Structures are given as C-alpha cells and as structure tokens.
Amino acid sequence: MSKKLNSDIPQEAFDWYDSYAHGGMDRRTFMKKLGTLVAVGYSMTMLTSALLPNYALAEQVSFNDADIKATYESFDSPHGYGKGAGYLVTPTNKTGTLPVVLVIHENRGLNPYVKDVARRLAKAGYLAFAPDALFPLGGYPGNDDEGRAMQKTMEHTKIQHDFVAAAKFIKQHPNSNGKLGAVGFCFGGYMVNYLAAIESDLIIAGVPFYGTPASKELRKNIKASLLVQLGELDERVNKSWPEYESDLKQAGVSYKMHMYKNANHGFHNDSTGRYDKENADLAWDRTLAFFAEKLV
C-alpha cells in the first residue's frame, strides 16, 4: 500500500481528487476509484470526509468579529460579463487609507473558505476584496460540485476581464492607498499570475498558491514582485514551474518560490483533508510578511 497522509488516506486518493476537481475525470470515475480503496478496507465515509470540503472547519475569523466589517459590493466590467460583485472586508480599527489585497477563489466560485481568507487579511489591517466569478450566474451556489460545474460553463476570457475590472475597482476604492496586492488559490493562483502579466502596473505584489502561469507571451510584461507557493506533491502544477521561473528571470522579475514538503495541491485550504496546518501557517506568515513589505 502507498504512503498514507492525513488520517491514513492513501496519496492516490488526493491525486484522484485533484484530477476530478480540475476536470481530469468525472465524478463517476472518481467515486469508482475511491471504491477500489473501499474494497481493501477503507471506509467511503472516511475517504469522502477527508477529501470533500467541510466549511465549518474553515472559519478562523468570524464575520461577527468586531475588528472587521464585511459587505457585498458590485462593480462594472464592460469587457467581461458587464457587472461583477464581491465580498469586501474592511478593518474597523484602522483610519485613513489602507493597503489593498484582491483575494481570488478556486475554480468553483466564492466559497466560505475564500471569504474567510478575506476576513483574515482585513483582521491583519488590509482592505480585502474577494470577487465571485459566478456572480453573473447568481453567485456561489452553496456547494463546490455545483459551483465547479457552473464556472466550467463560463467564458474564460470574460472571467479574466471581470477580475481585471475587480482589481481596478478595489485599487481605486476611496479607502485604498493605491497599492494593490493579490493572493489566489488554484485557479485563483493562475489569476494572480495573469493579473501581474496582463497589465504591468495593475498589481505590485502577487502571491499565487499552486497556480499555473499566464500564457508565455504575456510573461515579459510582469513587473510585480511575486511570492510563489507550491506543494511538493502537486505534480500537475509544479511541472509548469521550471519554464515559468526561466521566464521570470529573463524578465528581471523579483520573485521567490517556496516548495512545501509533503504538501498537496490545496494544502492551505483548511476545509479539506489536503490541509497541512504546519505548511499552511508558514505559507500564510510568509504571505503577510510579503504584503507588509510591498504594500504598507
């Protein structure tokens, strides 16, 4: 039997979930593969509870926390879906203008985990804005499977335009100090790389967690500093890193990459069994230090 991680779950199960979550296999195939583990003694309940999100575990900062105020704000996106919206979280114990961070979700809409990340940033003193790519379809539907299916039906180019519009909206917010950073996870990590590349002066600091790079022809435009966060076991994303690093060096980009030992894709997401608290805490501490250096 293979090496086991997180409640004695075989690594293959995490790899299968990653493939399922990113379109590499359908749900029926995913469940069938999990069934092969049941046949050798694993409980399906144990497997699914470890792999599928439980958002009750993901609230580190309550929406009732007195140090923050959360609202929903809309913005125009003329080149995207026309109108966008997101979750805006503001510190209540700060005065004057604030450094700003755009928070970008995975490929399933603005789920509770990503909203909590926005609250964590506001708690740390940032104006945080987390757009929902699914807003044109009614918003995050309440579960990741449906959210993933919804986002898959959308035009990728229009989604990208919506996030560019969101970045410009929050950068120009009355409470903004004009210094914009971005952090994103999975699809959101890709979007951080894309925002850094599509307009050289849009963001000044980006933290892509396990995200693939923007298209090769755009990478020469990157001027923002990047803090790249990768999980050692994430073969799908990691195979894009050597070429991306070469292009960053050629473009003279200030960057640093951290590879987290024995960490899976999604290791920062504390709602699933892929969560690795030690690596997630370290990656988050590095993220906050990076934004404090670049944005404050």
Side-chain angles (χ1 to χ4, degrees):
M1 184 58 68
S2 305
K3 179 180 179 182
K4 299 173 183 178
L5 300 172
N6 297 305
S7 302
D8 205 36
I9 303 298
Q11 179 59 37
E12 289 100 319
F14 293 98
D15 296 339
W16 296 335
Y17 177 77
D18 184 61
S19 180
Y20 161 61
H22 298 93
M25 70 175 69
D26 60 25
R27 184 177 179 85
R28 177 178 292 183
T29 303
F30 171 58
M31 296 305 292
K32 185 176 180 180
K33 284 182 175 290
L34 290 186
T36 65
L37 297 178
V38 174
V40 295
Y42 288 90
S43 159
M44 182 61 79
T45 300
M46 179 179 70
L47 292 169
T48 56
S49 65
L51 295 170
L52 302 177
N54 177 358
Y55 288 121
L57 303 175
E59 187 175 83
Q60 294 188 21
V61 178
S62 169
F63 64 88
N64 289 319
D65 192 300
D67 291 337
I68 63 169
K69 178 182 179 182
T71 59
Y72 289 90
E73 303 291 338
S74 62
F75 57 90
D76 293 326
S77 181
H79 301 294
Y81 277 96
K83 203 79 174 176
Y87 186 66
L88 177 66
V89 196
T90 307
T92 58
N93 55 0
K94 300 282 186 180
T95 58
T97 57
L98 299 167
V100 187
V101 179
L102 189 73
V103 184
I104 309 178
H105 58 68
E106 304 137 311
N107 65 339
R108 61 212 68 173
L110 183 59
N111 60 35
Y113 153 66
V114 179
K115 291 169 72 173
D116 192 66
V117 171
R119 293 195 294 270
R120 296 173 208 176
L121 283 161
K123 183 82 171 176
Y126 296 90
L127 182 66
F129 187 55
D132 187 353
L134 300 183
F135 174 75
L137 302 182
Y140 176 71
N143 71 82
D144 279 18
D145 274 354
E146 189 178 345
R148 188 183 300 111
M150 289 169 65
Q151 190 162 326
K152 194 173 181 179
T153 69
M154 301 177 74
E155 292 184 37
H156 189 65
T157 300
K158 285 189 175 182
I159 291 177
Q160 291 181 155
H161 282 305
D162 282 350
F163 277 102
V164 170
K168 292 179 177 180
F169 163 77
I170 196 60
K171 187 175 183 178
Q172 297 164 3
H173 192 278
N175 293 339
S176 165
N177 69 356
K179 295 181 179 181
L180 176 63
V183 61
F185 308 90
C186 183
F187 161 80
Y190 160 76
M191 279 306 312
V192 171
N193 287 322
Y194 176 81
L195 292 176
I198 193 63
E199 294 186 22
S200 297
D201 61 351
L202 184 57
I203 67 173
I204 64 174
V207 185
F209 275 78
Y210 26 85
T212 53
S215 59
K216 190 172 179 65
E217 64 270 18
L218 291 177
R219 299 173 200 171
K220 63 182 182 298
N221 300 326
I222 299 174
K223 302 298 181 188
S225 297
L226 297 177
L227 179 66
V228 179
Q229 314 270 36
L230 300 174
E232 184 183 40
L233 302 179
D234 188 5
E235 295 181 4
R236 180 182 59 84
V237 170
N238 293 350
K239 66 183 180 182
S240 68
W241 173 245
E243 182 186 87
Y244 190 27
E245 181 177 36
S246 176
D247 291 339
L248 293 177
K249 287 179 177 178
Q250 187 170 347
V253 175
S254 172
Y255 76 92
K256 188 162 190 177
M257 186 276 283
H258 293 288
M259 183 71 73
Y260 293 88
K261 188 172 178 60
N262 291 327
N264 279 287
H265 183 92
F267 71 84
H268 185 265
N269 187 333
D270 51 359
S271 70
T272 79
R274 298 173 297 164
Y275 176 56
D276 182 326
K277 178 173 171 47
E278 182 177 353
N279 279 322
D281 287 349
L282 177 57
W284 192 244
D285 287 345
R286 286 169 168 166
T287 298
L288 292 179
F290 177 73
F291 282 148
E293 176 188 351
K294 303 298 181 181
L295 304 179
V296 176

